[in-house]
Structure formats: C-alpha cells, structure tokens
Amino acid sequence: MLLATRLAPLPEREILRRLRRCPRLGFECFFSTTQAQHARFDAADRNTQHREVKKAGAESDLDDRKHGGQMAWLTSMLEPAMKLYRRALPADKGDEPTSTASLVDIASSILRSTSGMQIQKWSIADLTLGLYFLSVRHASQMASDTFSGDLVSSDTFVGDLIYYVELARGSYQKDAAGLARVSMIQESKVVKFEDTSNVMRPGYYIAVDHRHKLVILCIRGTHTVHDIITDLASNSGGASNLDGENVHYGSVEAARWFMEHELSTLKSCLHEHEGYELRLVGHSLGGSTAALLALMLRRLGDEQLGFSSQLIKAVTIASPPCVSEKLASECADYITTLVLQDDVIPRMSTAALTRLRNEILVTN
C-alpha cells in the first residue's frame, strides 16, 4: 500500500501516471485529498478534451469534405474561364482572338467597376445593419417606390410581349430542338444555335419566324462564369463610351463582337426573306447587348448595312442599365424593355449604388 501523504508532493502529471499504472499492478493507492481531487479533475478534463478533439476532428473532416466539393466545383468552373482569359490576349499564329478586348482591358474594367462600390471599409455585417436601419427610416417616412406609365389594355401588345419572353427563354435551351419546344420557332428554321458562351460573347441563336416575318437574333443572359466576367466589366474609360456617352463596357464589347461576326449572316437572311424585319431579343445581359447592338446598327446607315436600318428593332427583358439617359431617349422609338414591377436588375446601375451608399452613410 502506498500512502501519498508520506511522500514528497508529486506533480499532478506524475500522480495521474501512477493512478493509471497502479491498478494494473494490483496496488491500492491512497492520495491526499487535494492531490486526489486534482488528479480526478485533470483526468476528467483530459477525457473531455479528448472527446472534444475527436468531435472537432469529425466536424472538420465533414467540413473539409463539404467545402472540398464546393471548391472542386468552383475550380472546375473557373478553369475554363481562365483559359478563355488567356485566349482573349492578342492571338499568336494568326488565331482569331476570343474578343476584341485584351485580358488587360478586361481586368482593368473589372477593377474600375468594383472599386467605387466599396463603402469605406465596411464589413458585410456593417452593410447589412446599415441597410436595415435605412429600411426602418424609409418605413417611418412612409417612403414608397413610384411607378409611372400607361396602363396596358391591348391584348395584342401583351401577346407580343409573351412571344418575346418565350424567345428569350429559348436561348437557355441546349439546342434548336429545345428552342422549338418552348417557343413558336420551328427547329428547321433555326439558322444557328450557340449554347456555349465566351468572355464578352454570351450564348445566342439566329432564327427565322415566317409567321411574324422576322429574322431573329436572340442573346442569352448571364448563364456561365464567362458571362459574370462580362457583367462585371462595366467601365473601361474611353472603350466604354459611344460617341462620348457612357455605356456598359462588357455589353458594348459583346455587341461589337456580334457586329463583326454575325452581321453578314443576318444580312443574308434578310436578303433571302425580303420584307422581313430584324428583331434583336435578349434577357438580362443579353438584353443590354441586344439594345446596344440595335443602337450601333442603326447608326451605320442603310448603305453600310446593305438593308434599311428601319427594319431593326430590339425587345429586351429585364435588361440592366447599359446606356446614358441621352442614349436611352435617342433609341426609345425602336427599343422596348420589359421590366417586372420592382425587379432590382434593371435598376442596378453604378449611379443607383452610389446614391444608395450615400443614403446609408447619412443614416444615423
């Protein structure tokens, strides 16, 4: 029998070691009350810590697997975008570049577009709280959004809008057969269908609708990471100007791509189907691209186009702001934009975000 009270004081670690060793040797150990309590508490703490470590390790493994899957998905999405970035540089060996914009132009545009959107050095929590108090202030002031315009009473006009919405929906399909299933366009009348998108070039299709006597270029909205890059590139100095007026850089670059690569196809379709009109349709990013393309084509004139510019009209659905107020007034006669009540995307301009930031900053 060992009497701990007769021995010199031992470190708690040594006491715990003897506690664990002696039962296996058949000894009965007695310790002073203080040493025994310390040993028990230390052992309990170690057991608790061991369980917590195991639990934390299991949770960490679960998080690693969860986030690992997300990162793998993100990597698989970003890798093609980076390849397209590299291809956007001036091409070697005579290969055609992906876009008229270089990688440096695109990167600079994204930096310009996002640098002005930071509200000092606010965190997400600060921004959320600021928006909350701003909403409380608006409610106390009985502030409300106002919508002006004329009540639509024409069934024909509503039917036309539904028709264009179906055309835009068709651009998100995988092929011409999918387009035919969700719209009035026959599969055999689809001239070209591009499901893949590129930096500064969304997905699109070209088709002929004999019932409405239209040659249609429909441009898809944001659908891939490449389209997000185009969305973010909103400002690039002089390249984002059209005759001195501000326009969205990504959308105007996409419009220039369509002018360079698909105008000949559109012209051929119009010559083949005399009396038909050219209708440019798009949703979201595709809408802003279609609007700018219509504006640019109209400015070319009949002689350069090879057909009457009066045949060109555009219908956009939920198009984000892409032109200055002056340009918007200029093209109001031949561009129609459909906005669903208070949809935020058609109002998501740099100017609107600046006004929102300033209002948050002055909110007590």
Side-chain angles (χ1 to χ4, degrees):
M1 180 180 294
L2 297 177
L3 298 178
T5 53
R6 297 177 185 176
L7 301 175
L10 297 173
E12 292 181 3
R13 182 177 298 177
E14 178 63 19
I15 294 172
L16 182 61
R17 185 181 67 81
R18 293 190 182 189
L19 267 175
R20 292 174 177 172
R21 183 184 63 185
C22 292
R24 292 198 299 269
L25 300 176
F27 290 102
E28 183 179 1
C29 298
F30 292 93
F31 295 86
S32 66
T33 303
T34 302
Q35 287 177 326
Q37 287 176 344
H38 286 175
R40 287 195 298 271
F41 292 158
D42 188 58
D45 288 343
R46 290 176 183 272
N47 290 335
T48 301
Q49 292 174 1
H50 182 65
R51 288 194 297 269
E52 289 178 350
V53 168
K54 288 182 66 178
K55 181 179 178 182
E59 292 176 349
S60 177
D61 290 342
L62 182 61
D63 289 341
D64 288 343
R65 289 194 297 270
K66 178 181 177 182
H67 295 299
Q70 294 174 347
M71 290 303 297
W73 173 84
L74 184 59
T75 301
S76 67
M77 289 294 292
L78 289 178
E79 182 58 28
M82 295 309 298
K83 290 180 179 178
L84 289 171
Y85 257 126
R86 290 189 286 270
R87 287 172 54 194
L89 289 167
D92 296 327
K93 301 179 182 179
D95 293 336
E96 182 184 41
T98 298
S99 167
T100 56
S102 70
L103 171 59
V104 176
D105 294 332
I106 297 170
S108 298
S109 173
I110 293 175
L111 288 175
R112 288 191 185 95
S113 304
T114 57
S115 61
M117 296 182 183
Q118 297 178 359
I119 303 180
Q120 297 177 348
K121 293 183 178 179
W122 287 20
S123 66
I124 294 298
D126 294 331
L127 183 57
T128 302
L129 193 61
L131 288 171
Y132 169 74
F133 281 115
L134 182 61
S135 67
V136 170
R137 193 178 90 182
H138 281 190
S140 66
Q141 295 175 345
M142 303 296 290
S144 61
D145 292 328
T146 58
F147 301 94
S148 60
D150 300 324
L151 180 65
V152 176
S153 58
S154 170
D155 292 340
T156 302
F157 183 65
V158 173
D160 288 342
L161 291 179
I162 293 174
Y163 166 75
Y164 291 118
V165 168
E166 290 177 346
L167 291 180
R169 180 186 175 193
S171 65
Y172 289 90
Q173 303 302 308
K174 288 293 184 183
D175 49 31
L179 167 63
R181 285 194 295 269
V182 299
S183 69
M184 300 177 65
I185 303 297
Q186 298 178 11
E187 183 178 355
S188 60
K189 303 306 177 184
V190 178
V191 178
K192 180 180 291 188
F193 195 103
E194 279 291 342
D195 175 51
T196 58
S197 59
N198 207 325
V199 177
M200 307 296 178
R201 201 275 290 158
Y204 67 100
Y205 68 83
I206 298 174
V208 178
D209 184 353
H210 294 296
R211 179 180 178 182
H212 292 86
K213 294 187 176 182
L214 295 176
V215 173
I216 300 164
L217 168 61
C218 185
I219 307 172
R220 189 176 63 192
T222 304
H223 192 61
T224 70
V225 69
H226 320 125
D227 301 324
I228 294 175
I229 294 171
T230 307
D231 285 325
L232 290 175
S234 64
N235 188 308
S236 188
S240 55
N241 288 340
L242 193 61
D243 293 342
E245 295 295 323
N246 289 328
V247 295
H248 187 278
Y249 175 61
S251 297
V252 78
E253 279 296 311
R256 287 171 180 147
W257 186 94
F258 283 106
M259 281 187 63
E260 181 180 350
H261 295 85
E262 295 298 352
L263 180 55
S264 59
T265 303
L266 298 174
K267 188 184 302 185
S268 176
C269 290
L270 288 171
H271 288 167
E272 183 179 349
H273 303 91
E274 189 175 354
Y276 283 36
E277 293 186 357
L278 175 60
R279 194 69 81 246
L280 308 176
V281 184
H283 168 249
S284 187
L285 169 62
S288 60
T289 303
L292 281 164
L293 181 58
L295 181 62
M296 294 162 66
L297 290 177
R298 280 261 186 162
R299 290 188 170 193
L300 288 179
D302 298 356
E303 185 176 348
Q304 194 171 353
L305 280 173
F307 58 88
S308 174
S309 59
Q310 299 302 310
L311 299 177
I312 304 171
K313 292 184 180 179
V315 178
T316 72
I317 295 95
S319 169
C322 59
V323 297
S324 66
E325 185 175 358
K326 179 181 178 181
L327 290 178
S329 300
E330 178 184 324
C331 61
D333 291 339
Y334 56 90
I335 298 178
T336 301
T337 298
L338 175 62
V339 177
L340 178 61
Q341 192 67 8
D342 55 356
D343 184 5
V344 68
I345 297 300
R347 297 171 173 84
M348 188 67 75
S349 67
T350 303
L353 289 175
T354 300
R355 289 195 297 270
L356 176 62
R357 178 189 63 184
N358 294 337
E359 193 169 357
I360 292 176
L361 290 174
V362 299
T363 299
N364 188 344

